[in-house]
Amino acid sequence: MTAELTAQVCVVGGGPAGLTLAVELAKRSVSVVVLEQSGHFNRSFRGESVSPDSVWLLDRLGLLGRLDGTYAQMHRMEILDSGSAVLSVDFSDFPYPHPYPVELPQPALLSALADAGREHPGFTLRQGATAIDLLREQGESGPVTGVRARTPDGELLVRADLTVAADGRFSKVREMSGLAYDKQPLDRDVIWLRLPFPEEWDSHTYRIRIRGGEHGLFIPTHPDSVRVGLNIAKGGLRDLRAQGLSALHEKLDRLAPELSASVRKEVRGWSDTSMLDIFTTVVPRWSMPGLVLMGDAAHTLTPILGQGVNHAIIDAVTLAPLVEEAMADGGGTAALARAGEKFQQSREEAVRLSRALQLRQERLFALDGRLGGLGRRSLYRIVNHNRALQQRVLARAYFQVQEPGPTVARRVVQQPASHN
């Protein structure tokens, strides 16, 4: 049995990008259907780092108050190289209304967005719905007019003036559209694992540990754990597994001996880890008649500096008013096509700058040998001792939307619960 829905916009993907866009469209009286493949919001090891700009946007959108008690605020970032501190950043030094990034589990964010959307009559969320085909007006070459989806109740057709692909880094809609893209693998992948938070660390600091060509990210995670990302060679998971789980334990020993006991207690099999394939995706055109790509579907970034969720939310608040304007002009193919083009023009440079910054950091992390390590440590120390340079470098990642001004964010201090 085939069911049908009709809306002005069909969003494929109920992650931060898709749900933020849907809420902003519904608030503007644009009817929207969101198709989300998963039947729940429980996304483990997904991006939980929310940059200061996006915290500011969530506050402006009226969502931050809904999230009280669900996130951890970050006050500092530190980099240790070969056991020595080479860079220390205090986010309170940045002169912006919301200077602090937060660690926010995606289930909490997505649930808050879905609840906000349901307050508007034009918002429909269908979970457990997998997009399997694009509807087109005139065969394969015509404008996209909606989506064919598979659901537990049978096939669903969603007919829409505009379809938005917000279905992530492995976007099926991007593949079905035929829009060209260039996938650029990096030299490493990341093994993710979650451990109890060590008592000797404060829970408001991002930690990066480097030793030779190895590095790890250590991210406090609400309410009482630490998310650990360890680099491995691209495609190196099979080799690591062949060495046995002890090789993973020893890798963490070299970078964060504070976690040596807990990793042996908590990580007893490879099923206690998750591997992330690291690549970026460059898409020359983010739109075609009847279709727009956004978020990771349009511009996949790496985990460095937590830019994925940040750009997803900025994409959403940029695209929504452009779609509203196009709908006010009649919602025709030409008006919506112009909206898609304006969207890419307004966002492409910021994405390019973030990607370039991430790739520079990746290259620094990968430097090995005596001279490579010395050069990296020297560069970090130069940045560390020049506050103006430090702020200029990090502002490119964290402060692309906010204007400088007095801090309005309340500084939240909370230690994780004891594991004794």
Side-chain angles (χ1 to χ4, degrees):
M1 179 179 177
T2 300
E4 288 197 22
L5 290 173
T6 300
Q8 290 170 291
V9 178
C10 176
V11 177
V12 181
L19 279 177
T20 304
L21 174 65
V23 171
E24 286 302 288
L25 290 174
K27 286 164 63 174
R28 290 168 164 80
S29 299
V30 176
S31 61
V32 57
V33 172
V34 181
L35 302 178
E36 166 54 34
Q37 179 174 328
S38 175
H40 55 78
F41 290 138
N42 187 20
R43 299 167 169 221
S44 61
F45 292 109
R46 297 296 182 92
E48 298 187 357
S49 300
V50 180
S51 291
D53 271 353
S54 287
V55 178
W56 177 74
L57 286 171
L58 291 174
D59 192 23
R60 287 172 61 90
L61 298 177
L63 288 164
L64 197 58
R66 296 173 184 258
L67 295 164
D68 279 347
T70 67
Y71 60 84
Q73 190 183 73
M74 297 294 105
H75 301 155
R76 297 179 63 254
M77 177 174 66
E78 67 174 28
I79 300 179
L80 268 62
D81 194 334
S82 300
S84 298
V86 292
L87 179 62
S88 180
V89 176
D90 188 333
F91 291 114
S92 66
D93 289 341
F94 288 81
Y96 293 89
H98 280 271
Y100 306 112
V102 305
E103 288 301 308
L104 171 60
Q106 277 208 11
L109 174 60
L110 300 182
S111 295
L113 286 166
D115 289 344
R118 293 185 184 105
E119 295 173 359
H120 303 279
F123 174 93
T124 301
L125 170 63
R126 291 293 301 267
Q127 292 180 277
T130 302
I132 57 175
D133 196 12
L134 293 176
L135 306 180
R136 294 181 184 267
E137 191 173 75
Q138 302 161 351
E140 289 301 312
S141 61
V144 175
T145 58
V147 175
R148 185 189 309 274
R150 183 176 59 248
T151 79
D153 300 321
E155 195 170 86
L156 172 66
L157 301 183
V158 182
R159 303 190 185 278
D161 298 318
L162 178 68
T163 297
V164 178
D167 53 340
R169 62 208 302 265
F170 299 106
S171 173
K172 294 180 181 178
V173 175
R174 185 181 61 209
E175 293 289 344
M176 292 187 291
S177 74
L179 285 168
Y181 65 93
D182 180 21
K183 180 179 176 180
Q184 301 174 348
L186 273 66
D187 293 333
R188 67 177 190 107
D189 292 325
V190 173
I191 295 284
W192 286 106
L193 51 129
R194 193 182 298 258
L195 298 172
F197 201 87
E199 291 183 359
E200 58 265 49
W201 288 359
D202 80 86
S203 59
H204 299 278
T205 299
Y206 288 134
R207 291 171 176 81
I208 300 171
R209 300 284 181 86
I210 309 172
R211 190 169 291 277
E214 294 184 323
H215 69 269
L217 310 177
F218 302 87
I219 304 172
T221 301
H222 185 82
D224 58 1
S225 60
V226 57
R227 212 159 69 252
V228 179
L230 302 175
N231 74 303
I232 61 173
K234 172 63 68 176
L237 182 59
R238 179 179 296 180
D239 290 342
L240 183 63
R241 285 188 170 187
Q243 297 172 51
L245 202 60
S246 61
L248 178 66
H249 295 161
E250 291 163 6
K251 189 178 186 70
L252 191 57
D253 291 344
R254 292 188 289 272
L255 292 168
E258 304 96 320
L259 300 173
S260 292
S262 63
V263 72
R264 285 166 173 78
K265 180 180 179 182
E266 302 291 335
V267 180
R268 298 184 177 182
W270 292 105
S271 62
D272 295 320
T273 70
S274 177
M275 199 278 288
L276 180 64
D277 178 17
I278 304 297
F279 61 85
T280 67
T281 303
V282 177
V283 185
R285 287 184 56 213
W286 297 4
S287 63
M288 61 190 300
L291 175 69
V292 174
L293 311 184
M294 67 177 296
D296 277 350
H299 45 71
T300 308
L301 298 171
T302 80
I304 294 295
L305 297 172
Q307 291 298 290
V309 174
N310 188 44
H311 281 285
I313 293 174
I314 297 174
D315 275 4
V317 299
T318 302
L319 181 57
L322 295 173
V323 173
E324 177 189 27
E325 181 182 353
M327 292 299 179
D329 288 342
T333 301
L336 289 167
R338 287 193 296 272
E341 291 167 359
K342 289 179 183 177
F343 168 61
Q344 181 172 354
Q345 290 167 4
S346 64
R347 293 288 299 128
E348 200 165 28
E349 179 64 10
V351 171
R352 186 192 69 78
L353 290 173
S354 289
R355 180 183 288 113
L357 178 60
Q358 288 184 325
L359 293 178
R360 286 196 296 272
Q361 288 300 312
E362 295 279 359
R363 288 192 289 269
L364 274 176
F365 288 165
L367 289 174
D368 201 358
R370 188 177 67 84
L371 291 179
L374 179 61
R376 177 180 58 220
R377 289 189 291 275
S378 298
L379 181 57
Y380 278 131
R381 285 179 174 131
I382 289 171
V383 174
N384 191 51
H385 289 102
N386 186 325
R387 183 179 174 188
L389 178 60
Q390 182 183 116
Q391 294 203 358
R392 187 162 68 248
V393 169
L394 287 177
R396 294 173 183 171
Y398 287 133
F399 303 101
Q400 299 176 6
V401 177
Q402 294 183 74
E403 295 292 334
T407 298
V408 300
R410 180 171 58 91
R411 186 178 173 99
V412 179
V413 179
Q414 180 180 349
Q415 290 295 331
S418 172
H419 288 272
N420 291 339

